[in-house]
Amino acid sequence: MLIERAARLLIERAEVEGRVPCCVRIDGGRIAEVARELAPRPGEERLDAAGGALLPGLHDHHLHLLALAAAERSVRCGPPEVSTREELARALRSARPRGGWIRGTGYHDSVAGPLDRRELDALAPGAAVRVQHRSGALWVLSSAAVERLGLDRGEDAPGVERDAVGRATGRLYRLDAWLRERLGAEPAPDLAPVGARLARLGATGATDATASNGPAELALLEAAAASGALPQRLLVMGRPELPEPSHPRVARGAVKLVLAEAELPDFEAFAEAIRGAHGAGRAAAVHCVTRAELAFAVGAFAEAGAQPGDRIEHAAVAPPELAARLAALGLCAVAQPHFVSERGDAYAAEVDPADLPWLHRARGLEAAGVPLGAGTDAPFGAPDPWRAMRAAVERRTVSGARLGADEALAPERALALFTSPPEAPGGAPRRVAPGAAADLCLLDRPWAAARDALDGGFVAATLVAGRVAYRRG
Ligand SMILES: [Zn+2]
């Protein structure tokens, strides 16, 4: 394991919480001093901030690191890269198979309608293709892929869709872990490009919200933390069986519970799962993208009792009566504001008109007293917190329409979505102050010049525990 050297660093001429110029001394991974002037000490490295804003490092409160690493080696199958059936066929046919497979991600029905094996066979004849739907809940396999996995010969799992005569349609629901096990020999995805990309965007931490995370996934993430491939702090959610991590930059997060409106679980059993998480000293995080899912989750938390750290992932549809109950229970919500820009135009056609005013809310939730954090949900959303912040401020779709203008946040609130503590999304933002961990994001300009554009390109340096994870140039 790499020994993590404690850095001694003096940051000079920074803007800190609106004060400029400021010096910030870092020692032992923490902020030791903040003052107008500090004299450099022998052996201390120096970093000239040149007047740029020194912010708490960003924490992406919801993403999927292993899926993001895998997506880097996959064919994009949905908007904005691929929008038509012809573009999809071209993308799949020109893809270079890995281990005999073509892996696609980000599919949306607007490209070529609902996919099944026959449609994939027509798009990429003869190839073993698997395409993940943008929702993350569905994989679609071509006939060659179905054949490889033996799905027509009775290999089965709940979630393998079959037609009237029992033949696999190629559609696999919520079978990620099962599929990974079947595919077996796939090399572990390389997390270094993901770690570098997040560092470049000022992210000093990330919460992996993958429901199926268990011992194997934790081992991959801890190995990446130990090797430096992932320089960030990680909070790992997952199954009840997720072990306690041992790497100092990796912590265990909530038990992740997934709801799907089409097949809601037994209410008592679900409340018991929340109690089970609490009994094991963990919080519970519930995936809710519809009104009914949120109502179910809120009911279950009321039944089981809510604890600090309990959270609602997405809260994509949150009408006032449910927002009030979230606040009363002390549940925080982890939103994806950039879905407004990335998916907003499709929502107008797809979402129940009664739900539209309550879609991807931000300001209304905060006003109702719901602590609100945000995550990119990468790879299902773009892995750029700045884009999410910008969307939270502008609430514009790709076509330029505004969606839920009342829900827009001021840039400072948008930033705060990503600067609350990892275990308390929406809690008081972390500060650049003595005693705090030196997890920092340095911009190349003052906040006043950054707040109107909120662009990841402004990040000049990223420090995790005082160590430079990224420095421009
Ligand atoms: Zn997610």
Side-chain angles (χ1 to χ4, degrees):
M1 195 200 291
L2 197 81
I3 303 295
E4 308 228 339
R5 229 168 0 104
R8 298 179 64 215
L9 179 69
L10 184 65
I11 303 175
E12 296 169 292
R13 293 205 298 156
E15 178 193 67
V16 175
E17 299 184 342
R19 303 188 306 273
V20 69
C22 269
C23 290
V24 176
R25 171 164 286 132
I26 292 165
D27 199 353
R30 300 206 157 259
I31 297 173
E33 288 180 85
V34 179
R36 199 177 167 80
E37 270 185 72
L38 291 172
R41 290 175 181 166
E44 213 168 41
E45 285 181 60
R46 294 165 76 176
L47 194 157
D48 182 8
L54 187 64
L55 307 172
L58 307 182
H59 187 91
D60 189 324
H61 287 288
H62 182 127
L63 49 50
H64 306 276
L65 291 162
L66 293 164
L68 181 55
E72 305 249 338
R73 317 177 304 210
S74 304
V75 183
R76 280 290 302 175
C77 294
E81 293 89 343
V82 167
S83 302
T84 66
R85 192 175 188 282
E86 290 65 40
E87 287 171 1
L88 179 60
R90 205 175 314 129
L92 290 175
R93 286 176 196 183
S94 61
R96 194 165 53 86
R98 288 174 177 265
W101 284 88
I102 293 169
R103 183 185 194 278
T105 56
Y107 183 74
H108 185 257
D109 289 1
S110 63
V111 176
L115 285 185
D116 60 10
R117 66 191 282 179
R118 281 177 38 206
E119 181 68 1
L120 280 181
D121 293 348
L123 288 163
V129 181
R130 65 182 196 278
V131 171
Q132 188 181 38
H133 192 268
R134 185 170 83 172
S135 65
L138 169 69
W139 281 97
V140 187
L141 275 56
S142 68
S143 288
V146 165
E147 178 57 33
R148 277 184 166 221
L149 293 177
L151 290 179
D152 279 336
R153 295 190 305 275
E155 273 280 0
D156 220 343
V160 175
E161 187 182 86
R162 297 194 176 274
D163 64 15
V165 296
R167 192 164 170 270
T169 63
R171 291 166 71 88
L172 274 52
Y173 289 92
R174 300 195 183 280
L175 287 179
D176 279 77
W178 183 87
L179 195 55
R180 202 162 36 241
E181 207 174 287
R182 289 306 136 118
L183 295 168
E186 287 234 314
D190 181 9
L191 285 156
V194 170
R197 187 208 279 247
L198 298 182
R200 204 163 58 235
L201 292 164
T204 57
T207 297
D208 192 293
T210 311
S212 57
N213 278 341
E217 291 77 12
L218 181 65
L220 291 173
L221 295 172
E222 287 205 277
S227 71
L230 287 176
Q232 288 80 14
R233 284 182 208 277
L234 306 179
L235 184 64
V236 184
M237 291 191 200
R239 308 202 310 257
E241 303 79 40
L242 190 77
E244 185 76 66
S246 56
H247 191 277
R249 265 191 288 108
V250 184
R252 185 168 64 173
V255 173
K256 174 86 179 283
L257 302 168
V258 176
L259 288 176
E261 180 168 344
E263 38 178 343
L264 288 175
D266 175 70
F267 180 79
E268 261 313 314
F270 194 76
E272 194 50 41
I274 293 174
R275 282 189 209 103
H278 293 163
R282 294 171 67 188
V286 183
H287 163 106
C288 298
V289 295
T290 71
R291 184 193 289 245
E293 289 163 10
L294 185 59
F296 188 93
V298 162
F301 273 115
E303 171 75 16
Q307 290 188 0
D310 285 342
R311 40 194 281 173
I312 301 291
E313 307 303 310
H314 314 301
V317 178
E321 65 278 12
L322 289 175
R325 295 194 67 197
L326 286 182
L329 286 162
L331 295 167
C332 62
V334 176
Q336 284 72 44
H338 53 305
F339 284 174
V340 168
S341 61
E342 292 177 13
R343 306 180 178 185
D345 292 316
Y347 287 142
E350 288 170 2
V351 173
D352 183 337
D355 286 345
L356 269 178
W358 317 122
L359 198 58
H360 294 296
R361 300 181 70 198
R363 191 157 148 195
L365 289 180
E366 291 195 337
V370 179
L372 187 68
T376 62
D377 204 13
F380 309 111
D384 181 348
W386 298 92
R387 262 165 79 163
M389 289 181 221
R390 207 154 60 231
V393 172
E394 296 174 355
R395 296 198 62 99
R396 276 199 198 285
T397 70
V398 172
S399 75
R402 275 195 109 192
L403 192 79
D406 293 350
E407 297 292 339
L409 296 180
E412 289 70 25
R413 290 308 307 162
L415 175 67
L417 295 174
F418 288 94
T419 58
S420 47
E423 58 292 341
R430 291 160 19 243
R431 294 192 51 206
V432 179
D439 295 353
L440 299 164
C441 166
L442 175 66
L443 302 186
D444 63 4
R445 62 199 72 199
W447 177 248
R451 69 187 294 279
D452 293 330
L454 296 172
D455 192 309
F458 299 163
V459 176
T462 304
L463 285 77
V464 181
R467 299 170 81 239
V468 175
Y470 165 73
R471 190 165 180 186
R472 190 197 289 167

